[in-house]
Amino acid sequence: MKVLVCDPIDPEAVETMRQAGIEVDVRDTITAAELEAAVADYDVLVVRSRTKVTAAVMDKAPKLKLIVRGGVGVDNIDVSHAEAKGIEVRNTPLASANSVAELTIGYLFALARQIPQATASMKAGQWEKKAFSKGIELAGKTLGLVGCGNIGKLVAQKAAALGMNVLFYRRTPTEVPGATQVSLDELLARSDFISLHVPLTPETYHMIGRAEFEKMKKGVYIVNCGRGGTLDEEALYDAIVSGKVAGAALDVFEDEEKDRGRRLMELPQVIGSPHIGAGTVEATERVGAEVAQIIIEFARQHTASSTLASRGQGVLRRQSRRKTPVFRHWRLLCGTLSPLKSSSERAHWTRWTNWRAAEPSLLPIRPLSNWASWTRSASTWTGRGWRCAFLTKWNPTRRCRRPCAAQK
């Protein structure tokens, strides 16, 4: 099995896969054109957030069986096209969750105390103590989480520990310790800080837009460490300029290839980072380890399936050589036992054969020509609590452990 790593992952994860007998090529700066040209030779692709696995890429990959996204979202993968082609898509939703949650909390502090702006002022040789002495505390403020999955729950836990009142909106009812589930409108109206933690889907695209900003408090702060595109950046720009939004912290942007939020970053109230939510040493190690585990398990399962398939051909050939069906032996035996005179024996035999018919895996497969051998096998099969009337007729010492009503 050949694996192409398209984005940087932990080198130890690469070595782990190679030690498991998997051929791994690392091209973590590969371009879209280069990927389309090279993908035909690979069974597995590993990507983070940079590389886009489009339908065009998949169409040029006849061997491709698995795409592993190191991280949470899979919006850089055409999942529907992958499903149509029978390509499995996996991700690592828990590996980087804590790192993203900590960045969110860090942004709350940065917005509340204008830390980046004060740093920039100091680097410019200024001492604007009065200008930067108007920050606010987080304790007692209300944090609204739009979306509350693995990352949102960790943010809620950490914010509650800071003394914040935590609200969250989620479409399905969910219990989150230290947080209260409310409607989206209530969350927008009550929150001092709003943080987005939803995947990018057609339903969540621009879910926070002009109408939603109108429902917010004046002076609210916005944080987005989730997915670019869930927040309408044009509407956010206008809300900041108008004073409706006091500040914003963005780790993700709608266009991270060309525009990269340049217009927003021109505003002094906006701070940002180049999509580094999962960019910690610990998260990289966990992501790499989970990616390696997924691929190794997949390789083993694929190898086992291929082995079974090849063995299955031999099984079918062996089965085709069986000339006499199993149930034919039973019909012959029933004909042999039909002269039994005792009604008790006939009733007991009927009950025993009916019970055996319900468990076809226990039926004898030996031909009746070897009668002595069959009777020895039958005594073994009946050892689970039943003795057949045929055996008790020729060997009175064998008694049924659970005699039927006809024998009582």
Side-chain angles (χ1 to χ4, degrees):
M1 179 170 287
K2 294 185 65 175
V3 177
L4 177 61
V5 178
C6 304
D7 293 320
I9 65 170
D10 187 20
E12 290 187 9
V14 176
E15 186 60 28
T16 299
M17 288 187 283
R18 286 172 176 165
Q19 290 177 359
I22 300 172
E23 184 178 347
V24 183
D25 293 336
V26 179
R27 299 180 61 180
D28 52 16
T29 59
I30 193 169
T31 64
E34 292 171 343
L35 179 58
E36 289 188 22
V39 71
D41 296 330
Y42 293 94
D43 304 284
V44 180
L45 291 182
V46 177
V47 300
R48 296 293 302 269
S49 60
R50 181 187 71 89
T51 302
K52 305 295 188 292
V53 185
T54 62
V57 171
M58 295 181 218
D59 289 339
K60 295 184 179 180
K63 297 181 180 179
L64 190 60
K65 305 176 186 67
L66 173 67
I67 303 170
V68 183
R69 160 71 163 97
V72 182
V74 292
D75 47 281
N76 57 325
I77 301 171
D78 192 336
V79 177
S80 59
H81 193 73
E83 291 176 350
K85 293 182 68 67
I87 301 171
E88 187 175 348
V89 178
R90 299 282 299 275
N91 65 344
T92 60
L94 296 176
S96 58
N98 189 67
S99 294
V100 180
E102 288 187 358
L103 179 63
T104 301
I105 296 297
Y107 269 147
L108 295 180
F109 280 112
L111 288 171
R113 300 302 300 269
Q114 295 183 290
I115 297 172
Q117 292 90 337
T119 301
S121 175
M122 291 283 292
K123 287 181 177 293
Q126 301 178 12
W127 187 266
E128 300 178 282
K129 180 177 180 178
K130 186 175 182 180
F132 293 111
S133 296
K134 300 177 182 179
I136 59 175
E137 294 182 354
L138 296 182
K141 301 300 188 294
T142 298
L143 170 64
L145 302 176
V146 180
C148 201
N150 295 318
I151 297 173
K153 290 176 182 177
L154 288 173
V155 173
Q157 175 189 358
K158 299 175 191 302
L162 293 172
M164 300 188 77
N165 303 314
V166 182
L167 308 176
F168 73 94
Y169 164 73
R170 185 171 173 170
R171 287 177 294 180
T172 56
T174 307
E175 291 292 332
V176 177
T180 304
Q181 187 169 12
V182 297
S183 66
L184 180 59
D185 287 346
E186 183 177 354
L187 181 146
L188 297 175
R190 293 175 54 185
S191 298
D192 302 299
F193 293 82
I194 295 176
S195 182
L196 279 69
H197 300 280
V198 292
L200 179 60
T201 66
E203 292 76 19
T204 62
Y205 177 74
H206 284 186
M207 70 176 299
I208 302 298
R210 298 185 186 278
E212 286 71 28
F213 283 118
E214 291 297 324
K215 299 175 182 178
M216 297 179 189
K217 288 182 177 181
K218 182 177 176 61
V220 67
Y221 292 90
I222 304 295
V223 178
N224 189 7
C225 293
R227 281 290 173 267
T230 57
L231 179 66
D232 185 343
E233 295 177 3
E234 291 295 326
L236 174 62
Y237 182 94
D238 293 341
I240 293 173
V241 171
S242 69
K244 183 73 171 185
V245 175
L250 307 174
D251 183 53
V252 293
F253 299 88
E254 187 167 345
D255 182 1
E256 295 185 355
E257 295 183 358
K258 296 180 180 180
D259 181 68
R260 297 173 176 172
R262 288 189 179 91
R263 186 164 181 254
L264 276 169
M265 295 306 300
E266 292 174 355
L267 297 174
Q269 300 95 325
V270 178
I271 59 177
S273 51
H275 203 153
I276 60 170
T280 64
V281 173
E282 296 82 358
T284 301
E285 291 176 352
R286 288 193 296 267
V287 167
E290 192 169 343
V291 166
Q293 181 182 0
I294 290 171
I295 294 174
I296 291 171
E297 290 179 355
F298 182 85
R300 288 173 179 170
Q301 292 172 0
H302 180 70
T303 302
S305 299
S306 300
T307 303
L308 288 174
S310 61
R311 289 178 179 175
Q313 299 298 323
V315 172
L316 290 175
R317 286 195 294 269
R318 289 195 299 271
Q319 289 179 347
S320 65
R321 291 197 295 267
R322 181 180 294 165
K323 297 180 180 180
T324 307
V326 169
F327 283 96
R328 183 178 174 185
H329 299 317
W330 285 92
R331 289 197 296 271
L332 291 172
L333 180 60
C334 291
T336 303
L337 297 177
S338 60
L340 292 177
K341 297 179 180 179
S342 169
S343 61
S344 173
E345 290 174 347
R346 286 198 301 272
H348 188 59
W349 173 251
T350 301
R351 181 175 180 181
W352 191 80
T353 53
N354 287 343
W355 176 71
R356 286 300 173 190
E359 299 189 43
S361 61
L362 300 177
L363 294 175
I365 60 174
R366 301 184 182 183
L368 293 180
S369 58
N370 191 349
W371 188 259
S373 175
W374 186 87
T375 54
R376 285 195 299 271
S377 299
S379 67
T380 301
W381 295 321
T382 57
R384 302 179 82 184
W386 294 89
R387 298 298 183 201
C388 89
F390 172 72
L391 292 177
T392 57
K393 181 176 179 64
W394 273 269
N395 188 353
T397 61
R398 293 186 181 275
R399 300 297 300 170
C400 179
R401 296 181 185 177
R402 295 177 59 187
C404 62
Q407 289 181 311
K408 294 180 180 180

